[in-house]
Amino acid sequence: MTFASSRLDPVRPSASAWVSQAAKEAQARGEDVIDLGLGEPDFDTPPHIVEAAHQAALSGETRYPPTNGTAAMRQAVIGKLKRDNGLDYSFDQVIISNGAKQVLFNAMMATLEPGDEVLLCAPYFGQYKDIVLILGGTPVALPCPADAGFRLLPDQLAAAINQKTRWIMLNLPSNPAGAVYSDDDLRAIGAVLVQHPNVLVLSDEIYEHILFDGRKFSSFAAANPDLKDRTLTVNGVSKAYAMTGWRIGYGAGPAPLIAAMTKVQSQICSGACSIAQAAATAALNGPQDAVHQFCQAFEARRDLVVDRVGKIKGLTLDPPGGAFYALIGCAELIDAETPDGDTLKDDAEVAAYILKAAGIASVPGSAYGLSPYFRISTAASIEVLDHAMGRLEAAVETLKPRT
């Protein structure tokens, strides 16, 4: 007897979650493993946010919330988008979900027909591809290599669009490469999309507040107001506010799309946790000092990793402009020989070697649609990252280069 539907055949579990779980199991067995697989801030949620949840629970906000989100939370999102991004939305244009990933799923579930194509900028967040596959769509990867800054080029987009194209997914800044798009970059992409009125735009802006070197954030819908009525802006509180476990994400877009997504959500769950929504409301409406402090810490960690990787022969790292990952190039390690006499054939084997030899959990670039790379999270502390880079350097030095 089989229990899984055939639609799951091409889908793999989240690579970063699987790697992190494997690392935790190894740690439970007493193995010395540094888990840099999962993108999760190591900071605690700011106290005023926790207190808001406490007060919500005490005051009886413990019943079913509206499927599309509490009025207070949707108002907080509307205020945030106006304040930070110059975007105007109404209540019927906002949905609150159990994390940004559910917003993505709702949108694809609500809109995709079998065979519809969704354009992904490789390297891409792995769940983009899998969500599309689960729902019968066809993911189309558009390679965005390092020499393009890991960014999508307008001519490349124009060549990829056809009658089957339903969505283009953007991630600003991107996971895993940390690529940042300027206003001009986004307008150039928008100029292509204006010519294709049937293509929807999903702009995942979950790392909006994690930008380095004085960069300013540009929201796709703000840069392309003519495309706002077919753009879904996705965001949440997980990364910027150290609230990964609270599971609150949100989407803002045209009312008919939000209505369709709400219909989907009504069949999956009864809405997002009311107490978590109260906490997220406090996050968006309250003081933003912690967000800036977290960003400064992430930038210092980025700097350390860039400096250390730059000194390891055989590895490359283009400094990420945002987010908290390092997508490390390992082309020179392919076909290298390990001390055990094995040959590293691809980036998956490189990541496996790094786990075995250095005790560092990482994710191969193949999980993000671009090889040969491996991704580490730089959301760990300076001390942990410094120790990990020392281990990484020692492990790479023991390899025998290809001849």
Side-chain angles (χ1 to χ4, degrees):
M1 177 183 293
T2 58
F3 292 94
S5 164
S6 60
R7 74 169 62 92
L8 293 180
D9 290 347
V11 177
R12 297 292 177 266
S14 164
S16 57
W18 181 88
V19 166
S20 184
Q21 181 60 33
K24 288 179 173 62
E25 291 173 358
Q27 291 167 343
R29 293 192 299 268
E31 299 176 26
D32 184 12
V33 174
I34 299 174
D35 181 10
L36 300 182
L38 196 62
E40 182 169 47
D42 63 337
F43 305 111
D44 291 330
T45 302
H48 74 280
I49 298 174
V50 176
E51 181 60 23
H54 182 206
Q55 292 302 319
L58 291 177
S59 64
E61 294 181 40
T62 54
R63 295 175 174 81
Y64 286 125
T67 300
N68 58 351
T70 66
M73 181 62 198
R74 281 184 289 149
Q75 183 60 60
V77 169
I78 291 169
K80 180 268 174 217
L81 292 170
K82 177 66 173 178
R83 178 185 71 235
D84 295 348
N85 309 112
L87 293 169
D88 290 310
Y89 289 97
S90 56
F91 272 86
D92 61 350
Q93 294 178 309
V94 174
I95 185 172
I96 313 301
S97 299
N98 294 284
K101 195 182 296 184
Q102 189 183 14
V103 180
L104 302 176
F105 188 93
N106 290 346
M108 296 302 109
M109 182 80 175
T111 59
L112 287 184
E113 300 288 353
D116 281 352
E117 293 184 355
V118 179
L119 304 181
L120 309 178
C121 306
Y124 47 72
F125 176 53
Q127 277 62 66
Y128 293 165
K129 175 183 176 182
D130 291 325
I131 288 172
V132 171
L133 287 171
I134 287 174
L135 298 173
T138 302
V140 178
L142 306 181
C144 302
D147 58 11
F150 297 111
R151 293 189 297 271
L152 178 67
L153 300 178
D155 290 346
Q156 183 183 20
L157 174 60
I161 295 176
N162 60 54
Q163 291 183 341
K164 294 182 179 180
T165 306
R166 181 62 165 152
W167 285 92
I168 169 72
M169 285 190 178
L170 302 172
N171 192 192
L172 315 172
S174 73
N175 169 14
V180 177
Y181 290 74
S182 68
D183 265 342
D184 288 343
D185 293 331
L186 296 179
R187 281 192 285 264
I189 291 173
V192 174
L193 292 168
V194 164
Q195 303 172 46
H196 301 278
N198 293 324
V199 179
L200 300 171
V201 183
L202 190 150
S203 185
D204 180 351
E205 302 178 359
I206 193 73
Y207 297 100
E208 169 187 3
H209 292 298
I210 305 172
L211 290 170
F212 310 136
D213 307 314
R215 289 178 171 86
K216 302 298 182 183
F217 180 73
S218 297
S219 178
F220 182 86
N224 294 282
D226 291 346
L227 296 174
K228 180 172 175 280
D229 63 354
R230 53 184 165 110
T231 297
L232 176 65
T233 299
V234 179
N235 210 320
V237 296
S238 291
K239 311 297 185 178
Y241 298 92
M243 294 178 67
T244 51
W246 297 82
R247 309 311 308 132
I248 295 294
Y250 57 85
L257 173 60
I258 297 299
M261 291 167 61
T262 301
K263 183 185 293 186
V264 170
Q265 184 155 296
S266 73
Q267 300 302 328
I268 297 174
C269 65
S270 298
C273 170
S274 56
I275 296 170
Q277 287 192 65
T281 299
L284 295 183
N285 289 343
Q288 304 297 301
D289 301 18
V291 175
H292 301 304
Q293 292 167 7
F294 294 165
C295 183
Q296 290 174 348
F298 291 137
E299 184 164 2
R301 297 168 183 190
R302 186 279 311 254
D303 291 345
L304 179 145
V305 171
V306 169
D307 178 66
R308 294 293 297 276
V309 171
K311 296 174 181 176
I312 302 176
K313 186 177 181 180
L315 299 181
T316 61
L317 175 57
D318 291 74
F324 41 63
Y325 306 100
L327 188 64
I328 300 173
C330 57
E332 293 184 33
L333 302 189
I334 305 302
D335 293 331
E337 185 178 314
T338 73
D340 294 334
D342 298 322
T343 300
L344 303 178
K345 294 298 185 182
D346 53 33
D347 54 20
E349 292 192 0
V350 170
Y353 170 73
I354 290 170
L355 178 59
K356 179 180 179 181
I360 298 171
S362 64
V363 185
S366 54
Y368 307 104
L370 194 69
S371 296
Y373 294 88
F374 62 93
R375 189 201 80 169
I376 63 170
S377 168
T378 56
S381 69
I382 285 283
E383 294 75 19
V384 168
L385 290 172
D386 187 52
H387 184 44
M389 292 304 98
R391 287 188 182 186
L392 178 61
E393 183 173 16
V396 172
E397 285 179 348
T398 63
L399 291 171
K400 183 179 179 181
R402 62 190 176 193
T403 56

